[in-house]
Amino acid sequence: MKKVTTSSLLKMKQESTKITALTAYDASFAKLFDEQGIDVLLIGDSLGMVLKGDDDTLTVSLEDIAYHTRSVRKGVERAFVVADMPFMSYSTPEQTYLSAAQLMRAGASMVKVEGGSWLLDTIKGLNERSVPVCGHLGLTPQSVHVFGGFKVQGRDDLQAERILEQAKELEQAGIQLLVLECIPSDLAAKISQSLSIPVIGIGAGAQTDGQILVMHDMFGISANYMPKFSKNYLQQTNNMREAVSQYIQEVQDGSFPSDEHSFN
Ligand code: KIV
């Protein structure tokens, strides 16, 4: 059993092997996902919505993410563990480095930050201090109040061009993984082809280098809302292990996401 690393994720992109990812927040589910062969586990600030029951991710603290990262790390043997930097935990360089150190010490192998050009120095600074970084573009939930709701991004030409440019800038600055959330499939395909680093989509069509879902959405147990881009794998399998295995298989063979779970 070889551990997933930044190098193996890059190799998967180069060999056109789809990367499978899920969010996880505790040791038991992390172990279950790891045993089924998931490649990446994200301790997402989505925990604010799916664990705490909040309307958005802004209530999540650094301590929340560190606590859940420690738990997830204990359940994982193979998967690559990424932790979200929560809202306002990377506003200044000093704060960013302290926040990242706390998450890496909790067991993350990479931290994820949401946003574009304003993060270029942040990413360089983190890399210089030996912290690998995942970018996140498109519908970045920490900006929900700027967007005026959880809305698909990049539908007009100008916005699409901007997201593509920002993806290139983030890669140039040093990110080693990129999440694209809720953007048209064509744009996500173009970005994935333009970058050398792996690109993981959620609501971004089938032509990214991999897929991620919030685990509660994949099991169809999210409290209030099932996003269009998600699929309830528990419904068709009635067994958690089989649900995860089916998700992995459908991502790997390219049948998930279908048009029904994508935007144009
Ligand atoms: O917080 C989260 O779970 C995320 C994923 C939706 C990518 O950022």
Side-chain angles (χ1 to χ4, degrees):
M1 196 234 3
K2 277 188 89 175
K3 282 185 189 298
V4 182
T5 62
T6 48
S7 311
S8 54
L9 291 172
L10 183 61
K11 192 154 173 260
M12 287 175 81
K13 169 157 184 142
Q14 289 161 350
E15 294 175 350
S16 301
T17 303
K18 293 281 187 187
I19 296 167
T20 60
L22 280 171
T23 65
Y25 316 99
D26 67 47
S28 303
F29 276 115
K31 185 165 188 291
L32 190 152
F33 299 157
D34 195 57
E35 285 170 353
Q36 296 308 308
I38 203 82
D39 298 311
V40 177
L41 288 177
L42 169 71
I43 299 88
D45 58 4
S46 51
L47 71 83
M49 300 172 83
V50 295
L51 299 192
K52 294 166 67 171
D54 292 331
D55 291 337
D56 54 48
T57 61
L58 308 190
T59 58
V60 176
S61 68
L62 189 66
E63 286 66 34
D64 289 336
I65 299 282
Y67 171 90
H68 289 281
T69 301
R70 275 192 293 279
S71 305
V72 166
R73 171 48 71 193
K74 289 177 197 159
V76 171
E77 285 189 27
R78 175 185 170 274
F80 189 69
V81 175
V82 183
D84 254 342
M85 299 268 274
F87 179 63
M88 285 292 165
S89 68
Y90 46 107
S91 302
T92 64
E94 286 70 22
Q95 183 198 31
T96 302
Y97 304 146
L98 290 174
S99 301
Q102 191 167 333
L103 298 184
M104 297 296 279
R105 289 194 181 114
S109 299
M110 175 180 270
V111 298
K112 177 163 80 59
V113 289
E114 295 185 6
S117 314
W118 75 275
L119 285 171
L120 300 182
D121 287 339
T122 302
I123 293 162
K124 284 182 201 150
L126 284 168
N127 280 177
E128 282 160 4
R129 287 156 183 81
S130 309
V131 178
V133 183
C134 175
H136 187 157
L137 290 172
L139 170 52
T140 44
Q142 289 171 18
S143 306
V144 60
H145 297 304
V146 177
F147 296 146
F150 293 98
K151 295 177 181 164
V152 177
Q153 301 295 307
R155 275 191 158 138
D156 69 64
D157 289 351
L158 211 64
Q159 225 187 32
E161 194 50 45
R162 186 78 197 111
I163 296 174
L164 174 61
E165 274 316 304
Q166 289 186 334
K168 290 179 182 168
E169 286 173 5
L170 293 182
E171 178 178 45
Q172 195 75 32
I175 59 165
Q176 288 175 283
L177 197 60
L178 176 65
V179 170
L180 293 177
E181 180 164 350
C182 289
I183 62 169
S185 306
D186 288 355
L187 174 59
K190 196 169 171 189
I191 294 171
S192 305
Q193 284 155 18
S194 307
L195 303 192
S196 311
I197 56 160
V199 176
I200 297 187
I202 174 164
Q207 290 181 64
T208 51
D209 306 307
Q211 298 293 328
I212 183 162
L213 283 180
V214 171
M215 59 163 278
H216 292 64
D217 294 342
M218 185 272 301
F219 284 138
I221 55 165
S222 297
N224 301 319
Y225 171 69
M226 178 70 164
K228 166 188 157 72
F229 55 76
S230 194
K231 182 169 169 184
N232 181 346
Y233 282 92
L234 198 51
Q235 192 170 40
Q236 60 188 66
T237 56
N238 220 12
N239 174 301
M240 280 186 176
R241 284 189 171 74
E242 278 175 31
V244 177
S245 166
Q246 180 88 22
Y247 166 63
I248 291 176
Q249 194 179 315
E250 290 190 14
V251 171
Q252 286 174 341
D253 69 21
S255 54
F256 178 80
S258 63
D259 288 348
E260 182 196 345
H261 301 110
S262 306
F263 301 103
N264 44 43

